[in-house]
Amino acid sequence: MRGWWREISGLVLPVSCGGCGTPRTELCEECRSELYGGVPRRVRPVPEPAGLPVVHAAAAYENAVRAVLLAHKERGALGLAGALGKALAGAVRAGTGQMDTGPLLLVPVPSARRAVAARGHDPMRRIALAAAGELRRGGTRTRMAAVLRQRRPVADQAGLGARQRQANLAGALEVVAGGERLLAAGRVVLVDDLLTTGASLAEAARAIGAADGRKGALPGSGQAAVVAVSPSAFERNRNCL
């Protein structure tokens, strides 16, 4: 019921910009520019966890970008999924280039079930679906494949350092039954909304690589894309490129 109420209320209640609060617009032009008006860049957290794929990010996690992500994830501003998906699609394009090597499979990093229940929706799945649609409209064969799940409970990542996050997530993800067939049908791109230490993406890469005996095929040589990354990582890599 909570998800339905959010869908309906978003249509009938007055809206304001999810990034800056400007009235009568879901996302103003200035905030759109901050979210997906820049050039996506490759980013590397420091320290970089073993097995992390090549990651591209659309924007720095600050100001309007941070506000939009939080509004969508925590406050149920579901209409923002389209703009976030457009930003994510740009990061996917930056990482995969123009090579046509078969359809792209956007595999979202899964949220904990308790987090999805508390929010009343699955934000990353919505963003991944929107990104897949944006890529298809641009001529890239793309589908979203939610083939990852948590195989054991994990602690809340907030407040944990890089090594603690890696230990917390080690072995926590697995591919759902039958997911191997989906993974064989295209080029996998792991997707998430935010990159902090990279532990979640590294664990997702490990789980996919282990699912069908392709160990090492995705980690280190695969692709991942995120909407946003910490400003320090984004600027550091911007200056290096």
Side-chain angles (χ1 to χ4, degrees):
M1 288 296 293
R2 183 184 303 174
W4 280 106
W5 167 245
R6 282 175 170 166
E7 294 276 10
I8 295 170
S9 64
L11 296 175
V12 300
L13 297 179
V15 298
S16 60
C17 175
C20 65
T22 297
R24 294 190 296 276
T25 179
E26 194 165 56
L27 192 63
C28 72
E29 288 302 316
E30 184 174 346
C31 291
R32 288 179 188 274
S33 179
E34 285 193 41
L35 181 61
Y36 55 72
V39 178
R41 300 278 181 164
R42 182 178 178 182
V43 293
R44 300 180 182 91
V46 178
E48 184 173 342
L52 182 71
V54 174
V55 186
H56 284 76
Y61 185 63
E62 60 183 352
N63 304 326
V65 175
R66 181 177 185 275
V68 170
L69 277 168
L70 289 176
H72 176 258
K73 179 185 285 189
E74 306 297 349
R75 297 196 294 278
L78 305 183
L80 293 172
L84 290 165
K86 185 171 183 175
L88 181 60
V92 172
R93 289 191 191 99
T96 57
Q98 302 301 316
M99 295 176 58
D100 187 1
T101 56
L104 295 181
L105 298 177
L106 305 189
V107 178
V109 174
S111 300
R113 289 182 181 179
R114 63 179 180 275
V116 173
R119 290 169 179 148
H121 73 120
D122 189 332
M124 193 54 232
R125 188 163 182 160
R126 281 181 178 273
I127 296 172
L129 280 169
E134 177 72 19
L135 288 163
R136 285 195 299 272
R137 286 189 291 274
T140 302
R141 293 175 294 160
T142 312
R143 63 184 298 188
M144 192 274 288
V147 299
L148 289 174
R149 68 180 177 188
Q150 289 192 342
R151 60 186 295 269
R152 63 168 177 80
V154 297
D156 189 341
Q157 296 274 81
L160 299 182
R163 293 185 183 278
Q164 292 172 315
R165 289 187 179 216
Q166 291 174 37
N168 183 42
L169 292 172
L173 300 180
E174 65 180 0
V175 173
V176 300
E180 297 89 345
R181 293 192 299 274
L182 288 175
L183 292 174
R187 181 178 176 185
V188 173
V189 181
L190 289 168
V191 293
D192 207 351
D193 56 353
L194 177 65
L195 173 70
T196 49
T197 65
S200 296
L201 285 173
E203 170 57 18
R206 181 211 60 79
I208 289 179
D212 59 353
R214 296 185 304 162
K215 293 183 179 180
L218 181 63
S221 60
Q223 298 289 334
V226 297
V227 175
V229 69
S230 64
S232 60
F234 194 77
E235 289 302 322
R236 176 170 53 248
N237 286 281
R238 180 188 292 271
N239 294 334
C240 290
L241 295 174

